[in-house]
Amino acid sequence: MARERRRHTGTEHRPLPLPRKATPPERDWTRVLLVALVSCAIGVSAFAYSGYMRWSLALRVLTLHPSPRVWPPNSSSSALSPNMFWGSYRPQLYFGMKTRSPHSVVTGLMWLSQAGAPSLRHTCEQGDGLARYGWLLHDGENFGVQEITDRGFTLRTEFVKRPGGDHGGDWSWRIRASPQASSSPGQILSLMFYVATDGQGTLTPHVAGRRHLTHVTGESEELGPFTLRFLTAEGGDGHVSYNYLSTTCPGLHTLTDVVRTSLRDHFTHPTESGGSRGNKRRYFGLDSYHPPPLPPGTPAPPPHTQLVVHQLTLQLPFQAEVLFESGSFQQRPGQLSGVSLGTELDRHKTNMENRFQSIFRLEEKGFTPDQVAFAQAALSNMLGGMGYFYGSSVVKSPHNAEPVLYPAAPLYTAVPSRSFFPRGFLWDEGFHLLLIGRWNPSLAWQSLGHWLDLMNADGWIPREQILGSEARSKVPDEFVIQKSENANPPTLFLALRQLLANTEGDEALRRAWPRLQTWYDWYNSTQAGLLPHTYRWRGRDQDPLRFLNPKTLTSGLDDYPRASHPSEEERHVDLRCWMALASQVMADIAERLEEDGGRYRHDHNILTDNALLDHHHWSERLGAYADYGNHTQNTALEWVRPRAAPGQDPRSVPPPQLIRVVRKPPRLQYVGALGYVSLFPFLLQVLDPSAPHLGRLLDLIRDADKLWTPYGIRSLSKGSPLYLQRNTEHDAPYWRGPIWINMNYLTVRALYLYSQMEGPHRDRLVSLYRELRQNLLANLYRQYKNTGFLWEQYNDQTGQGQGCFPFTGWSSLLVLIMAEEY
Ligand SMILES: *[C@@H]1O[C@H](CO)[C@@H](O)[C@H](O)[C@H]1NC(C)=O
Ligand SMILES: *[C@@H]1O[C@H](CO)[C@@H](O)[C@H](O)[C@H]1NC(C)=O
Ligand SMILES: *[C@@H]1O[C@H](CO)[C@@H](O)[C@H](O)[C@H]1NC(C)=O
């Protein structure tokens, strides 16, 4: 995760002025040749040639890898993958579904409490202040059960799919709304179910009486004809009020605004306990949508999206069902509603619980039913957080004067956080797939292949995937652009290593092979250090005055201290270890596919040569592995107040600025930071089990003045100069102390793996393993019980969850720690 993204708020956004699409290379060959010829003729061929070179270099970043895709576009279609066609692939919503297709018809739920100030809920927002929400069960394929605790009431949102026909089958939703014990009686609540198109397809609302939308019929390319039925709600006190909206709007990213601005409060709901005015209560209902006035002369945006919303308003408690029925599903064995819906949900719940038990065996390890439910929820949120996105990244290479649009592509991926990071992140995904792959290797392969299919001809994969208007509306412009020099840890190799353990993905693996080779070469060449077999992250912050320590977002560890003065001489020990892992997995894959993997084996032998590793990265003074570079420990942030020039109006002097001052000049040396980076040769098993330095690393881990806490391993030693230091006035410490679960997973796993090998530290490894595992699990469980969420990171002094929430990406690796699956 990158620090800068923490500041994003999901509510406001400015649409990014889209760069114009660069001309695809193949089409313009003739024009180029013609231009070149003409230029030749007039004697400026040298100029034309350099122009052509610039042009072709500028397009190179957009040229996709030439080998056949791991997953061709039709692989997610309803024809080839019918059971996975529909899903909760809109993780940024509290509840919604779409299909795995580029311009899917989407469905979703909004709700509006009619008590107090109305607050409309739709996309997951931390600012909504929900006490908890998340999937209790979700198998990634057939069904899901979620519980949402809002102020005064609880929603249980369930869905189940039923295969049949040629278009991905049917599904049903059941929403149960119940008052909390503390809430005042007679509270009324509105649910709004909607269906919307994304540029193609048509919807026809069917309305009974004045405002009661009973069903919507529709048709789209991928779905054929279909019907969405809103069954009569049960419960309330017998009164239901209806409203509906049918309108068009510029796109899916505007849905919340359209609904919010279509609400009027002149409707009344009859209720037994409804206050003073003749048992009627005013409520906010959908009326009609009037687009905001445009500045004069601006053409109205074309109606990209058709939106139909069904609103029902009634008193708690109640239950409502929504049915999607596919037109091509001929022999439907009755409606999937009421009792049969309940039966179907129960069947899937039992299946999931049994499968969970047989894969993870938590009962055998002594966990209580409540702890098992916690683990099931963690897995379910990882699976329920999987999305299907489609669109173009905005990218820039050193050869582009302006950002350009990457070719549009699909991405099926898990997301780190449904509220804060509801999109794909390259290095997070490698961790996600460790858990997903244990549950269902096929899902992991699908995600992995989609990621590799985003690779360009050079072997670069944009690390943050902001695809489509909904995703883009959540990210401020300045963070949208992906730079083609920038890497991110190749954690997909972690996932690949695990997936190699069974043969299920062999065909995908064969298709992936040419891409993996290019990918490896890209890291090996573009991120190489000055000395052979050393590596350096590109893309560090350059501004020498702004940051206490220039960040290295590309490493994934953001503000973790590195050399104070970025330079070519730098070498990064974490990247070297990632490459050691990558070379090993490449060699293993080559063997599996009976390809020549000699180059990778050779790299691996060198990168795991402990003498060479020590030579490049062991700092005796630090007693740990370290980065090397142009560095000084003596930097600080100081307020600098510009002085008014003689005669200058003091009010025109710029305000004081917090800037970095360097008190002692930097020199080439090991970087004096003790923390996660120091452990990498151990975390990724580059270190020999009998290496003399292993004992020193274990000392560092177990030392409470350094990395050890009762809640897990902290990211930076308490004794490090930058421990819990801000990087700028606005950047709180991120990887400078807090406890992160992905790194703790790697630590527990390394302790476990080394404890299984012959070596002088076995007893110590075993006891450290037990202790760290116990500490982590106890705290994660305690925090979940107290706060309702898994968190992005945990405070190293108190164990409290902090950063964004829910964070059910790599924090969900706790399931593997419970199961001792490494
Ligand atoms: C899916 O697409 C691939 C490549 O584009 C093609 O070879 C294959 O025949 C298609 N399969 C089906 C069932 O349409
Ligand atoms: C990686 O780079 C090193 C150093 O440049 C080179 O010797 C090695 O052959 C490369 N590895 C592969 C697999 O190409
Ligand atoms: C280290 O950084 C300082 C300050 O930017 C610079 O003057 C010096 O040349 C650098 N030294 C090396 C070896 O890069």
Side-chain angles (χ1 to χ4, degrees):
M1 308 310 315
R3 154 200 299 274
E4 53 193 358
R5 295 191 292 261
R6 294 172 72 198
R7 288 203 296 270
H8 304 176
T9 60
T11 43
E12 84 235 52
H13 82 278
R14 284 154 295 137
L16 184 79
L18 283 186
R20 261 180 301 164
K21 245 196 165 71
T23 330
E26 56 280 358
R27 268 212 234 127
D28 256 39
W29 267 108
T30 43
R31 205 176 75 196
V32 172
L33 282 178
L34 206 69
V35 170
L37 279 174
V38 170
S39 312
C40 252
I42 57 171
V44 288
S45 61
F47 175 78
Y49 179 72
S50 79
Y52 165 70
M53 285 305 289
R54 272 203 306 275
W55 172 84
S56 95
L57 282 172
L59 283 183
R60 174 130 185 114
V61 68
L62 303 179
T63 310
L64 290 182
H65 196 277
S67 70
R69 287 172 198 252
V70 181
W71 299 116
N74 60 10
S75 65
S76 305
S77 65
S78 60
L80 292 186
S81 187
N83 294 351
M84 292 293 294
F85 196 50
W86 276 104
S88 53
Y89 306 131
R90 305 175 74 200
Q92 72 277 18
L93 302 189
Y94 289 117
F95 191 57
M97 287 179 45
K98 64 177 276 192
T99 60
R100 295 203 305 178
S101 50
H103 300 289
S104 168
V105 167
V106 304
T107 57
L109 168 71
M110 301 186 197
W111 69 91
L112 181 67
S113 168
Q114 300 282 358
S119 41
L120 183 68
R121 314 284 195 213
H122 181 217
T123 54
C124 303
E125 303 293 344
Q126 290 188 182
D128 286 347
L130 302 191
R132 63 171 68 210
Y133 65 93
W135 299 100
L136 302 178
L137 288 174
H138 190 309
D139 68 358
E141 200 170 349
N142 304 296
F143 86 109
V145 178
Q146 180 177 231
E147 216 163 70
I148 301 171
T149 309
D150 202 338
R151 288 170 206 164
F153 57 95
T154 300
L155 294 179
R156 195 176 170 91
T157 68
E158 299 173 298
F159 77 88
V160 66
K161 298 195 278 175
R162 179 154 78 177
D166 305 324
H167 297 89
D170 293 355
W171 51 254
S172 297
W173 290 358
R174 188 167 70 186
I175 315 296
R176 239 185 240 159
S178 352
Q180 280 151 16
S182 57
S183 66
S184 49
Q187 196 183 343
I188 61 172
L189 174 72
S190 295
L191 298 184
M192 298 180 211
F193 298 104
Y194 70 80
V195 52
T197 62
D198 186 18
Q200 55 100 11
T202 55
L203 303 173
T204 311
H206 298 265
V207 183
R210 279 175 61 204
R211 293 194 295 262
H212 181 186
L213 183 72
T214 55
H215 62 291
V216 177
T217 51
E219 181 149 13
S220 82
E221 279 166 30
E222 309 95 357
L223 292 172
F226 61 84
T227 307
L228 192 66
R229 296 181 198 285
F230 307 108
L231 304 194
T232 308
E234 289 167 22
D237 55 359
H239 302 293
V240 189
S241 298
Y242 295 105
N243 299 75
Y244 86 101
L245 180 71
S246 175
T247 186
T248 60
C249 62
L252 297 180
H253 59 288
T254 63
L255 296 182
T256 317
D257 277 348
V258 170
V259 167
R260 184 184 291 119
T261 53
S262 304
L263 293 166
R264 305 283 176 275
D265 80 340
H266 59 243
F267 299 98
T268 53
H269 179 72
T271 139
E272 309 301 316
S273 51
S276 51
R277 298 191 307 109
N279 287 348
K280 295 253 183 197
R281 259 179 60 181
R282 277 168 88 101
Y283 72 94
F284 283 87
L286 288 167
D287 189 14
S288 56
Y289 176 58
H290 302 286
L294 295 163
T298 321
H304 177 88
T305 285
Q306 198 190 342
L307 169 68
V308 182
V309 193
H310 167 65
Q311 176 182 4
L312 66 166
T313 301
L314 61 170
Q315 189 176 310
L316 295 166
F318 66 90
Q319 173 175 316
E321 291 179 0
V322 178
L323 273 51
F324 177 90
E325 294 179 346
S326 170
S328 63
F329 195 159
Q330 300 292 336
Q331 269 82 46
R332 182 171 290 111
Q335 263 190 354
L336 188 54
S337 66
V339 175
S340 72
L341 172 54
T343 311
E344 201 53 11
L345 277 166
D346 286 343
R347 184 172 72 85
H348 283 298
K349 280 180 211 168
T350 308
N351 283 350
M352 175 162 186
E353 278 160 357
N354 290 341
R355 190 155 141 228
F356 189 89
Q357 208 258 338
S358 73
I359 292 178
F360 298 111
R361 306 189 166 277
L362 298 188
E363 290 83 353
E364 290 166 28
K365 296 194 179 279
F367 290 104
T368 65
D370 202 45
Q371 289 163 337
V372 173
F374 163 60
Q376 285 174 345
L379 172 71
S380 296
N381 280 300
M382 171 79 83
L383 296 165
M386 294 191 84
Y388 185 88
F389 305 93
Y390 186 88
S392 293
S393 291
V394 182
V395 306
K396 193 170 177 308
S397 81
H399 307 292
N400 301 116
E402 294 298 325
V404 287
L405 278 184
Y406 207 63
L411 179 62
Y412 170 63
T413 184
V415 303
S417 163
R418 287 171 61 196
S419 59
F420 231 70
F421 304 119
R423 52 191 173 274
F425 289 88
L426 181 54
W427 93 293
D428 292 68
E429 195 61 6
F431 288 104
H432 298 161
L433 297 184
L434 290 172
L435 177 57
I436 294 169
R438 280 269 158 47
W439 173 250
N440 184 341
S442 158
L443 302 189
W445 269 112
Q446 291 177 49
S447 161
L448 200 138
H450 271 101
W451 274 99
L452 294 177
D453 286 342
L454 294 167
M455 185 181 298
N456 76 2
D458 291 331
W460 174 64
I461 303 176
R463 72 193 160 100
E464 179 172 349
Q465 294 287 331
I466 310 160
L467 307 179
S469 65
E470 276 187 289
R472 194 164 295 153
S473 69
K474 285 222 155 195
V475 188
D477 297 356
E478 62 265 41
F479 304 121
V480 168
I481 299 164
Q482 305 293 307
K483 294 199 179 138
S484 72
E485 311 95 286
N486 289 354
N488 213 199
T491 54
L492 296 183
F493 284 109
L494 275 178
L496 267 165
R497 178 159 72 184
Q498 189 218 86
L499 287 167
L500 289 178
N502 64 53
T503 52
E504 182 165 333
D506 267 13
E507 275 180 44
L509 185 61
R510 191 163 289 286
R511 291 194 296 272
W513 177 242
R515 290 172 182 273
L516 290 171
Q517 289 177 285
T518 317
W519 202 39
Y520 182 93
D521 287 346
W522 183 84
Y523 280 95
N524 196 40
S525 55
T526 68
Q527 311 292 307
L530 277 187
L531 300 179
H533 313 296
T534 64
Y535 295 90
R536 171 166 72 90
W537 295 111
R538 304 306 198 268
R540 292 195 60 191
D541 288 331
Q542 288 305 327
D543 188 343
L545 289 181
R546 227 177 109 201
F547 307 99
L548 181 58
N549 185 280
K551 294 187 302 299
T552 316
L553 295 176
T554 49
S555 73
L557 307 175
D558 292 30
D559 64 346
Y560 185 92
R562 307 279 183 167
S564 60
H565 291 66
S567 72
E568 286 198 353
E569 278 85 0
E570 261 184 287
R571 41 184 198 257
H572 294 126
V573 63
D574 51 337
L575 181 50
R576 180 201 177 98
C577 296
W578 286 120
M579 290 309 290
L581 167 78
S583 58
Q584 179 181 35
V585 176
M586 287 299 286
D588 291 350
I589 296 175
E591 203 165 290
R592 169 85 150 256
L593 297 177
E594 297 180 347
E595 299 278 348
D596 179 13
R599 305 190 290 146
Y600 305 111
R601 198 61 78 193
H602 181 72
D603 281 3
H604 185 246
N605 290 339
I606 295 174
L607 293 174
T608 52
D609 174 341
N610 278 217
L612 191 63
L613 170 73
D614 288 359
H615 178 63
H616 285 147
H617 287 291
W618 178 262
S619 161
E620 189 53 40
R621 195 170 52 80
L622 213 58
Y625 290 97
D627 290 340
Y628 180 85
N630 194 14
H631 182 65
T632 171
Q633 302 280 60
N634 296 46
T635 58
L637 291 178
E638 276 183 7
W639 286 102
V640 173
R641 188 181 297 275
R643 290 226 185 95
Q648 190 186 356
D649 178 353
R651 282 167 304 182
S652 70
V653 176
Q657 261 192 316
L658 195 61
I659 62 165
R660 174 170 96 163
V661 293
V662 176
R663 299 219 176 85
K664 197 174 154 199
R667 61 181 172 82
L668 290 175
Q669 59 174 318
Y670 288 112
V671 177
L674 272 182
Y676 289 161
V677 165
S678 326
L679 302 179
F680 259 81
F682 172 64
L683 298 185
L684 295 180
Q685 292 88 56
V686 175
L687 211 55
D688 294 333
S690 57
H693 297 326
L694 179 54
R696 309 269 301 265
L697 292 189
L698 298 182
D699 293 344
L700 167 63
I701 289 176
R702 188 57 188 84
D703 187 340
D705 289 328
K706 294 185 171 138
L707 299 187
W708 189 261
T709 86
Y711 320 107
I713 303 295
R714 61 166 69 86
S715 39
L716 189 63
S717 163
K718 259 176 139 172
S720 264
L722 295 193
Y723 171 68
L724 293 187
Q725 292 295 306
R726 302 182 82 82
N727 207 32
T728 70
E729 188 186 351
H730 305 288
D731 291 326
Y734 200 40
W735 290 84
R736 294 184 181 173
I739 297 162
W740 291 80
I741 302 308
N742 61 333
M743 289 295 140
N744 274 277
Y745 168 78
L746 290 181
T747 311
V748 204
R749 173 173 164 274
L751 290 168
Y752 180 86
L753 295 177
Y754 278 95
S755 75
Q756 310 283 306
M757 302 177 209
E758 281 308 324
H761 304 290
R762 270 182 90 161
D763 292 348
R764 218 161 145 223
L765 286 158
V766 170
S767 71
L768 271 179
Y769 167 71
R770 290 205 185 117
E771 216 180 341
L772 178 57
R773 174 171 178 264
Q774 172 61 28
N775 285 351
L776 279 167
L777 294 178
N779 190 54
L780 285 162
Y781 180 64
R782 185 165 52 233
Q783 297 299 324
Y784 179 77
K785 288 311 245 185
N786 289 347
T787 66
F789 295 106
L790 286 178
W791 293 75
E792 184 183 23
Q793 28 157 288
Y794 292 84
N795 187 289
D796 67 320
Q797 329 262 336
T798 63
Q800 276 166 357
Q802 58 186 30
C804 74
F805 64 89
F807 192 97
T808 47
W810 64 43
S811 294
S812 298
L813 290 176
L814 69 94
V815 181
L816 297 182
I817 300 175
M818 287 172 86
E820 306 192 272
E821 291 268 349
Y822 303 112

